[in-house]
Amino acid sequence: MPFEIVRNDITKMRADAIVNAANNSLLGGGGVDGAIHRAAGPQLLAECRGLGGCETGNAKITGAYRLPCRFVIHTVGPVWQGGGQNEAALLYSCYRRSMELACENGCESIAFPLISAGAYGYPKAEALAVATSAIRDFLLDHELWVYLVVYDRASFVLSSRLMANIQAFIDDGAIPPDFEETQKMRVLRAEALHGMAPPAAAQQSAAKKKKRLLHPGAALTNAWKTIEEAEPAPGLEAYLTQMDESFRDMLLRKIDEQGITDAACYKRANIDRKLFNKIKNQKDYRPGKPTVLAFAVALRLPLEETREMLMKAGYSLSHSSRFDLIVEYFIRQGVYDIFEINQALFAFDQGLLGTAAQM
Ligand code: APR
């Protein structure tokens, strides 16, 4: 089931359970703790008084009172002391125990803040990495919809090196390295089709050609015109027999070729089982582009096959789209971890790969 990163105030989340970044006393505090107690009202504190506190790394569950959710799960993260006091394991345990409690109480969804990343001083990029790994591990064998709620831009930090690399790719990635090759192929095809040199206009310098054809579609339209002139269109029926393999058939073929289960594929794609079944059972269902890309990532397709899968669903990778460039960046790096890609997409204010729950 999907893992979603959202910008919100956790007290507004309508998940079945929201998680409070509490302290050992469970008697309230500042930050998330203060916000949740204020929004829930005094009955929450009254119930917490009866819990007898909570040790670091563990979690306890209460009602939610005036909050728009069913439960509050109070967990106590580690105070950062430099990383040598088992902080990562304790923080991982906060997420794990909270999700276990949510499932034990019949929750289908849970919303986390970035535990320990505020007053407890846990370095934000590391706190995010521990959260992601705990959530990913748990979702491998549990059905739960998990939201990581980011309250303010400053609290969502990726490694600066990764951010710089992605930004550089976005800035320079406008012309794909295989651009020249693609362009040459088009000119050769036009010549082969019509036994003539392409129109003088096409004899421009490579630099001008790059500028002129920053939108490859333009070249395609021209080439298409010449193809139509050259070949009489076949009858419609004959045409329709040329139907290519559909996106769905390619997806199912790839799953078989890789010898993985449907569930392994849609979990790696951060796709909900219901949506996967819709794609599998409704031949003409047309998924959105983020869904197609999520499957390409889950199947670890190289760039060419990713483009092929997109084309079968009626899409293409655009170099004028930050979203597309960021996903292409990770595919070129051979990084197919959808959680990592989604964190980068979120950091660049883009939508995420996979399905978004309607909250
Ligand atoms: N919704 C979502 N996230 C929030 C909200 C909110 N309303 N308010 C703060 N945050 C974010 C912070 O930006 C930070 O990234 O939650 C993260 C955790 O920050 P803290 O609330 O300071 O929690 P933590 O670092 O775990 O420290 C816990 O602080 O409030 C006290 O009683 C609490 O002693 C405990 C300590």
Side-chain angles (χ1 to χ4, degrees):
M1 290 278 270
F3 167 47
E4 190 80 8
I5 307 170
V6 296
R7 285 289 300 278
N8 204 343
D9 173 344
I10 200 162
T11 63
K12 306 273 188 293
M13 291 296 290
R14 296 184 175 284
D16 288 341
I18 66 169
V19 176
N20 179 21
N23 57 51
N24 298 105
S25 73
L26 296 187
L27 298 181
V32 172
D33 203 355
I36 286 177
H37 275 276
R38 279 192 300 278
Q43 291 168 293
L44 179 60
L45 182 58
E47 185 175 353
C48 286
R49 285 194 201 290
L51 295 178
C54 178
E55 67 274 11
T56 301
N58 201 351
K60 292 191 175 177
I61 194 166
T62 66
Y65 305 102
R66 294 183 199 146
L67 286 160
C69 56
R70 289 170 53 204
F71 301 103
V72 177
I73 293 174
H74 308 264
T75 191
V76 182
V79 176
W80 180 255
Q81 301 176 69
Q85 306 300 316
N86 207 26
E87 292 99 320
L90 286 168
L91 185 58
Y92 184 100
S93 171
C94 286
Y95 287 93
R96 181 102 198 162
R97 275 299 302 137
S98 297
M99 291 184 285
E100 285 168 350
L101 264 181
C103 289
E104 287 159 18
N105 287 273
C107 296
E108 292 183 354
S109 57
I110 185 172
F112 283 103
L114 263 173
I115 299 163
S116 288
Y120 279 4
Y122 211 108
K124 298 185 186 318
E126 286 78 352
L128 178 63
V130 172
T132 305
S133 98
I135 293 165
R136 181 211 345 255
D137 294 349
F138 189 81
L139 288 182
L140 282 179
D141 43 27
H142 293 83
E143 293 293 313
L144 186 66
W145 208 302
V146 182
Y147 297 95
L148 185 60
V149 182
V150 176
Y151 187 54
D152 47 63
R153 172 69 35 219
S155 61
F156 189 85
V157 173
L158 292 184
S159 80
S160 48
R161 185 179 55 78
L162 174 60
M163 292 292 279
N165 290 347
I166 294 172
Q167 189 58 58
F169 183 78
I170 289 173
D171 296 344
D172 307 343
I175 303 285
D178 59 355
F179 178 87
E180 287 303 342
E181 199 40 44
T182 324
Q183 179 49 17
K184 257 191 232 129
M185 294 300 286
R186 282 202 185 98
V187 171
L188 287 175
R189 192 173 67 212
E191 282 173 330
L193 274 173
H194 311 296
M196 62 184 180
Q203 298 297 341
Q204 291 166 357
S205 71
K208 268 205 204 128
K209 204 175 288 169
K210 269 192 184 174
K211 217 167 65 244
R212 180 166 66 82
L213 294 178
L214 251 187
H215 304 289
L220 208 54
T221 320
N222 298 337
W224 183 250
K225 242 190 302 180
T226 44
I227 287 175
E228 268 175 342
E229 279 153 17
E231 292 164 358
L236 185 57
E237 298 71 33
Y239 226 68
L240 293 177
T241 58
Q242 300 169 36
M243 287 279 278
D244 253 353
E245 177 189 45
S246 69
F247 155 73
R248 181 194 67 145
D249 293 345
M250 180 178 178
L251 171 65
L252 299 180
R253 171 170 60 84
K254 284 291 175 188
I255 290 174
D256 291 345
E257 284 172 5
Q258 294 187 11
I260 57 175
T261 62
D262 292 352
C265 180
Y266 66 70
K267 280 185 179 289
R268 279 200 326 223
N270 190 31
I271 293 283
D272 182 52
R273 181 185 51 217
K274 292 192 206 83
L275 177 55
F276 178 82
N277 289 337
K278 189 185 265 188
I279 292 168
K280 186 173 180 179
N281 302 326
Q282 289 180 24
K283 191 168 172 50
D284 56 357
Y285 177 76
R286 189 163 176 261
K289 187 171 182 179
T291 300
V292 176
L293 277 172
F295 280 117
V297 166
L299 292 163
R300 299 177 169 79
L301 298 185
L303 201 53
E304 266 326 297
E305 287 193 88
T306 298
R307 288 196 176 112
E308 183 190 353
M309 183 171 264
L310 277 169
M311 192 180 62
K312 289 178 186 301
Y315 303 109
S316 65
L317 267 185
S318 159
H319 282 107
S320 56
S321 150
R322 276 190 145 203
F323 178 91
D324 290 13
L325 278 168
I326 291 169
V327 176
E328 181 177 333
Y329 169 81
F330 281 98
I331 292 177
R332 285 180 184 278
Q333 302 294 320
V335 175
Y336 290 97
D337 178 338
I338 205 152
F339 289 77
E340 191 171 342
I341 298 173
N342 274 342
Q343 286 170 42
L345 288 167
F346 184 84
F348 279 88
D349 291 323
Q350 301 300 307
L352 305 184
L353 289 177
T355 46
Q358 306 311 323
M359 281 307 295

